[in-house]
Amino acid sequence: MTSSDPAYIGADMLDTIVIGAGMAGIACAQALTEAGRQVLILDKGRGIGGRMATRRVTSAWGTMRFDHGAQYFTVGHPAFAAMLASLPGAVAAWDAAGQRDRQRYVGTPGMAGLPRAMAEGLDVRQGVEATALRPRAEGWEVVTLDHRFAAARVVLTVPAPQVAALIGVNHPLSLMLAAVEMAPCLTLMAAFPAHSPAPFISLRSENGPLAWIAQDSTKPTRPEFATAWVAQANPDWSVAYLEEDQDSIVARMLPLLCDSIGTAPEYALYSAAHRWRYARVTVPLGRPFLQDAGSRLYLGGDWCLGPRVEAAWQSGTAIAHNILELETV
Ligand SMILES: Cc1cc2nc3c(=O)[nH]c(=O)nc-3n(C[C@H](O)[C@H](O)[C@H](O)COP(=O)(O)OP(=O)(O)OC[C@H]3O[C@@H](n4cnc5c(N)ncnc54)[C@H](O)[C@@H]3O)c2cc1C
């Protein structure tokens, strides 16, 4: 310990600390808690859900919501379906999106509503950034800006490129992450008066700068007084303008959106941009998680299996099952 080290929280060693309150971390903590384990979740963000994110905007016309991260999710695994069925008020089918090969689902009243409902009853500390993990004789010390926590095991569910900063570039698990790749995504949120041009519900493009455009206000339980759109730039375009300030990103993306939907930027009631530095997994690990069994350190997240909400849930759940089946204490 150095004199500049932050203070310890709690004299006792916790059973498990999960770092990251996105779908993977919440799924893991949920399963461990149901089995009677004592779990603390730390997240540096202000809200629960990570990339299952909803921006709530209060305006003179009412409250608008934009899902500026994950747009929808699909369901394949029966256990994922069963978990969703246990939270009927937090998830709904996005029927307006039309018949697809797989049903699209969204969180309600915004995408973040689902992870928030899953986190009900869990001990989540928001606005707490882990800055380092240090091995102890038994377990780990998690250092944050203000405190230090001790736990028998740590489950780290941050995006793969952010793992090395916490456990060190030379840690064997960091080296195993070298092949994983994640791409950024610049996202535009824009609202227009109700009954503005709305030629489609969602549009995917292979060629244009906007890879995805969706009319968010067609999702169930979203307000109808405005037509709310979310547009996502493709990875190359996002890389090119990643470091620009938000106003410049809006100035570039809003005219592109307006061209696509047949309106003009001056009619926008609201517009804002969000920069996802690690948005989409382009090269996943190919297995549900990584572990250092000796030190009880687990790494998980969507980057293990693919860029999907369900993949993140699978990863977090698989970690919990591994802990419960193979670790006795
Ligand atoms: C723009 C965009 C569009 C997408 N579209 C879809 C889609 O249509 N369908 C779909 O299925 N998926 C989509 N995804 C992917 C989906 O959102 C992710 O796969 C999933 O939400 C990832 O969950 P996770 O728990 O692995 O990671 P995250 O949600 O990223 O959670 C990680 C958490 O760790 C926290 N954290 C990071 N570092 C620290 C630290 N040092 N200390 C404390 N906390 C920390 C973060 O704040 C975050 O909350 C999209 C993602 C983006 C960004």
Side-chain angles (χ1 to χ4, degrees):
M1 176 175 171
T2 67
S3 57
S4 61
D5 270 346
Y8 252 117
I9 283 278
D12 298 334
M13 183 144 87
L14 297 161
D15 180 89
T16 304
I17 291 180
V18 175
I19 300 175
M23 177 52 86
I26 296 285
C28 180
Q30 202 185 29
L32 291 175
T33 304
E34 275 170 19
R37 299 296 185 104
Q38 178 208 22
V39 184
L40 175 67
I41 311 176
L42 306 177
D43 197 294
K44 68 179 179 182
R46 277 179 299 162
I48 288 173
R51 279 171 282 157
M52 292 185 78
T54 303
R55 170 98 40 111
R56 197 166 167 272
V57 180
T58 307
S59 72
W61 305 277
T63 299
M64 296 182 258
R65 284 194 180 81
F66 300 88
D67 295 332
H68 56 296
Q71 286 290 289
Y72 65 88
F73 56 90
T74 54
V75 181
H77 202 288
F80 186 51
M83 186 279 291
L84 296 172
S86 73
L87 299 169
V91 59
W94 186 16
D95 288 328
Q99 285 299 321
R100 308 273 159 179
D101 45 345
R102 298 181 80 178
Q103 175 72 56
R104 295 175 173 182
Y105 294 92
V106 295
T108 58
M111 191 56 94
L114 174 59
R116 264 208 310 270
M118 292 170 65
E120 199 69 37
L122 302 180
D123 188 357
V124 186
R125 312 259 174 108
Q126 293 159 243
V128 180
E129 179 171 357
T131 54
L133 299 191
R134 295 182 191 148
R136 289 161 51 105
E138 276 189 40
W140 289 90
E141 179 176 278
V142 177
V143 183
T144 71
L145 293 177
D146 302 321
H147 301 296
R148 293 179 296 140
F149 301 87
R153 67 186 58 71
V154 170
V155 179
L156 196 47
T157 65
V158 307
Q162 296 179 320
V163 166
L166 290 168
I167 64 173
V169 284
N170 294 321
H171 192 287
L173 295 188
S174 293
L175 302 175
M176 292 173 77
L177 293 184
V180 175
E181 289 179 19
M182 295 184 76
C185 180
L186 293 178
T187 299
L188 175 73
M189 294 155 266
F192 297 86
H195 311 301
S196 297
F200 51 82
I201 303 291
S202 68
L203 184 69
R204 209 179 283 282
S205 163
E206 297 296 326
N207 310 315
L210 301 185
W212 167 266
I213 304 173
Q215 211 186 129
D216 240 33
S217 42
T218 65
K219 293 175 178 174
T221 73
R222 273 57 171 182
E224 292 176 356
F225 63 86
T227 310
W229 294 90
V230 169
Q232 298 168 352
N234 73 36
D236 289 344
W237 201 94
S238 297
V239 168
Y241 300 110
L242 194 62
E243 305 308 335
E244 286 200 350
D245 62 50
Q246 309 241 335
D247 289 347
S248 309
I249 295 167
V250 170
R252 288 184 189 280
M253 292 184 75
L254 187 56
L256 296 172
L257 170 68
C258 290
D259 281 353
S260 298
I261 61 176
T263 187
E266 53 268 31
Y267 295 123
L269 303 173
Y270 170 83
S271 59
H274 187 85
R275 178 192 297 117
W276 295 103
R277 200 170 285 282
Y278 304 111
R280 308 269 298 174
V281 186
T282 50
V283 182
L285 181 70
R287 51 199 264 204
F289 61 90
L290 287 175
Q291 69 172 317
D292 180 6
S295 70
R296 295 179 177 176
L297 173 65
Y298 294 81
L299 307 186
D302 65 340
W303 50 267
C304 292
L305 295 173
R308 287 169 295 110
V309 166
E310 186 174 19
W313 175 87
Q314 277 178 282
S315 174
T317 304
I319 292 174
H321 289 168
N322 187 279
I323 291 170
L324 295 172
E325 282 161 23
L326 300 181
E327 287 188 28
T328 47
V329 194

